[in-house]
Amino acid sequence: MRIIQIIDSLEAGGAERMAVNYANALVKQIDFSGLVVSRKEGPLVCQVDTAVSYLFLNRKGVLDYKALFKLRNYVIANKVTLVHAHGTSFFIAVLLKLIYPKVKIIWHEHYGARANESILNNFILFFSSVCFSSVFVVNHQLQVWVKKKLLVKNVFYIPNFALLDENYPKTTFLKGNQEKRMVCLANLKDPKNHIAVLVAFKEMKLNELGWSLHLIGKDYNDNYSLELKEFIMKNNLDFFIFLYDSKNDIQHILSQATIGILASTTEGFPVTLLEYGLARLPVVSTNVGYCPLIIKDNFSGLLFDPLNNMQLQEQLNKIISSQRLRDSFGLHLHRLVLENYSQDKVIQYLFSRYNSV
């Protein structure tokens, strides 16, 4: 097999992490494993295995012919047979198919909100889907949507997996009391719903109980980010709620945390929950997308409706009030992740789907 992963950027998001994870995992198992980044590099570039063939296209627009033919030449030179396109990178993969029909395309959808969209908002994807040999999705709602809306028959659910790099330099040190740190690992953007966590933190007066909140994720310095910062300042929470931007030493960060939180209003299959599990963190999680299949309520964590702030507060109160519960949740989630979402299991299943294509 000679396969490339294509992704639009290497910002620290879920789809981006999986593109890197696949490229790294496959490099020791197939003849050729490449990673192509079309538009923008980012912090994840440091996590690409040196054995992976890496190409940055620096694509400037929708129809950037220079970037497209650079991709075509790369594919031909390396005798690539299969293009695994993640998220919105499907479009450049389809353009490649038009000028080099020999290659086969798999589209991998990570965006959970797509399952609630109409085909009118996805007409380019609809027509592009005729070029797909197969579609991979990260949850069963997306699988149903693709089968109903797109022109492709072979649609497969592929679970995500996570890796925590123990050898990555430890550069991030969390503030606050050592045993009372909440971490939210998510880029600062919709639909991650950080404001719900901030409101709950403030209304519960968790700072007066010694707790602190740590937001780890890309800060786009936009209106979303500004709203969070203004809320923190207005409520005098500067010494209790901290923003760190994108970070690569995730294992080190999570080793300093007490509780992991995810509050998104929509999700596909959040790698964040797997990373919390590998770190043995007890978790309070949104109940959307694939989350309820990872977080079994009152067993491997606690679930809440992201639009119900009182429910979030109730679950936070439950988890901060009991060390025994936290230990139990963290242990159960750790076991569940190791048993069901390990790299070896997912890659083995991925191979079977590659072979079918």
Side-chain angles (χ1 to χ4, degrees), residues 230-248:
E230 287 181 346
F231 183 93
I232 293 168
M233 290 182 62
K234 180 180 178 181
N235 292 285
N236 300 313
L237 293 170
D238 311 63
F239 295 102
F240 307 98
I241 301 179
F242 307 97
L243 281 66
Y244 295 80
D245 209 347
S246 290
K247 298 294 178 182
N248 279 316

Side-chain angles (χ1 to χ4, degrees), residues 7 18 55 127 142 163 209 247 252 302 312 337 351:
I7 190 74
M18 290 315 303
L55 176 67
F127 290 111
L142 286 170
L163 298 169
L209 299 176
K247 298 294 178 182
H252 179 235
L302 296 172
L312 169 57
V337 170
F351 268 126

Side-chain angles (χ1 to χ4, degrees), residues 4 6 8 38-39 57 59-73 75-76 83 85 87-107 124-125 127-132:
I4 60 170
I6 300 186
D8 281 340
S38 66
R39 290 187 178 274
L57 297 178
R59 184 180 173 206
K60 299 297 186 182
V62 175
L63 297 176
D64 185 334
Y65 295 106
K66 181 180 178 181
L68 178 60
F69 280 91
K70 185 178 181 180
L71 175 60
R72 180 180 182 271
N73 293 339
V75 166
I76 293 173
V83 172
T88 51
S89 68
F90 75 85
F91 189 70
I92 194 170
V94 169
L95 294 179
L96 171 67
K97 177 79 171 176
L98 295 178
I99 61 172
Y100 187 59
K102 187 176 179 180
V103 76
K104 291 185 177 181
I105 300 172
I106 293 172
W107 178 51
I124 294 177
L125 176 60
F127 290 111
S128 297
S129 66
V130 74
C131 297
F132 301 159

Side-chain angles (χ1 to χ4, degrees), residues 3-11 16 19-20 23-24 27 32-58 70-71 74 78:
I3 302 169
I4 60 170
Q5 313 292 319
I6 300 186
I7 190 74
D8 281 340
S9 85
L10 284 181
E11 296 290 357
E16 292 81 2
V20 172
N24 289 348
V27 74
F32 179 83
S33 175
L35 176 66
V36 176
V37 178
S38 66
R39 290 187 178 274
K40 184 181 180 182
E41 293 183 298
L44 293 183
V45 71
C46 300
Q47 298 184 18
V48 180
D49 193 301
T50 54
V52 171
S53 175
Y54 178 76
L55 176 67
F56 175 48
L57 297 178
N58 198 22
K70 185 178 181 180
L71 175 60
Y74 173 81
N78 292 290

Side-chain angles (χ1 to χ4, degrees), residues 45 53 76 94 130 199 213 241 247 249 271 274 278-279 304 321 343:
V45 71
S53 175
I76 293 173
V94 169
V130 74
V199 169
L213 175 62
I241 301 179
K247 298 294 178 182
D249 55 333
V271 178
L274 303 184
L278 290 178
F304 67 93
S321 300
Q343 173 181 303

Side-chain angles (χ1 to χ4, degrees), residues 10-257:
L10 284 181
E11 296 290 357
E16 292 81 2
R17 288 183 188 279
M18 290 315 303
V20 172
N21 284 352
Y22 283 140
N24 289 348
L26 292 171
V27 74
K28 297 176 183 178
Q29 302 189 43
I30 62 176
D31 296 327
F32 179 83
S33 175
L35 176 66
V36 176
V37 178
S38 66
R39 290 187 178 274
K40 184 181 180 182
E41 293 183 298
L44 293 183
V45 71
C46 300
Q47 298 184 18
V48 180
D49 193 301
T50 54
V52 171
S53 175
Y54 178 76
L55 176 67
F56 175 48
L57 297 178
N58 198 22
R59 184 180 173 206
K60 299 297 186 182
V62 175
L63 297 176
D64 185 334
Y65 295 106
K66 181 180 178 181
L68 178 60
F69 280 91
K70 185 178 181 180
L71 175 60
R72 180 180 182 271
N73 293 339
Y74 173 81
V75 166
I76 293 173
N78 292 290
K79 300 178 182 177
V80 173
T81 55
L82 193 58
V83 172
H84 188 155
H86 299 262
T88 51
S89 68
F90 75 85
F91 189 70
I92 194 170
V94 169
L95 294 179
L96 171 67
K97 177 79 171 176
L98 295 178
I99 61 172
Y100 187 59
K102 187 176 179 180
V103 76
K104 291 185 177 181
I105 300 172
I106 293 172
W107 178 51
H108 199 146
E109 178 60 312
H110 302 261
Y111 182 51
R114 183 92 61 191
N116 299 317
E117 294 180 356
S118 74
I119 200 61
L120 295 176
N121 297 325
N122 293 275
F123 66 93
I124 294 177
L125 176 60
F126 172 77
F127 290 111
S128 297
S129 66
V130 74
C131 297
F132 301 159
S133 295
S134 184
V135 173
F136 295 168
V137 294
V138 295
N139 65 41
H140 300 296
Q141 296 100 311
L142 286 170
Q143 187 174 26
V144 171
W145 187 90
V146 170
K147 286 183 175 180
K148 285 184 177 180
K149 305 292 186 181
L150 301 186
L151 303 171
V152 59
K153 293 182 178 179
N154 297 320
V155 185
F156 303 108
Y157 157 70
I158 306 286
N160 287 340
F161 67 90
L163 298 169
L164 292 177
D165 189 352
E166 297 179 0
N167 300 315
Y168 207 90
K170 299 175 181 178
T171 57
T172 309
F173 295 89
L174 302 186
K175 302 171 185 179
N177 295 335
Q178 185 173 353
E179 300 300 324
K180 292 189 174 184
R181 295 175 180 140
M182 298 180 177
V183 167
C184 182
L185 185 60
N187 291 334
L188 272 56
K189 64 178 183 178
D190 281 329
K192 298 304 180 180
N193 195 30
H194 291 82
I195 193 65
V197 183
L198 268 61
V199 169
F201 187 94
K202 177 236 175 185
E203 293 186 354
M204 295 176 70
K205 299 181 179 180
L206 293 179
N207 56 305
E208 296 180 9
L209 299 176
W211 288 89
S212 57
L213 175 62
H214 306 264
L215 309 184
I216 314 294
K218 175 70 174 176
D219 185 347
Y220 298 93
N221 293 303
D222 55 8
N223 290 335
Y224 184 99
S225 168
L226 183 62
E227 180 186 8
L228 302 180
K229 294 170 184 175
E230 287 181 346
F231 183 93
I232 293 168
M233 290 182 62
K234 180 180 178 181
N235 292 285
N236 300 313
L237 293 170
D238 311 63
F239 295 102
F240 307 98
I241 301 179
F242 307 97
L243 281 66
Y244 295 80
D245 209 347
S246 290
K247 298 294 178 182
N248 279 316
D249 55 333
I250 300 301
Q251 176 159 339
H252 179 235
I253 290 170
L254 297 183
S255 71
Q256 303 169 66

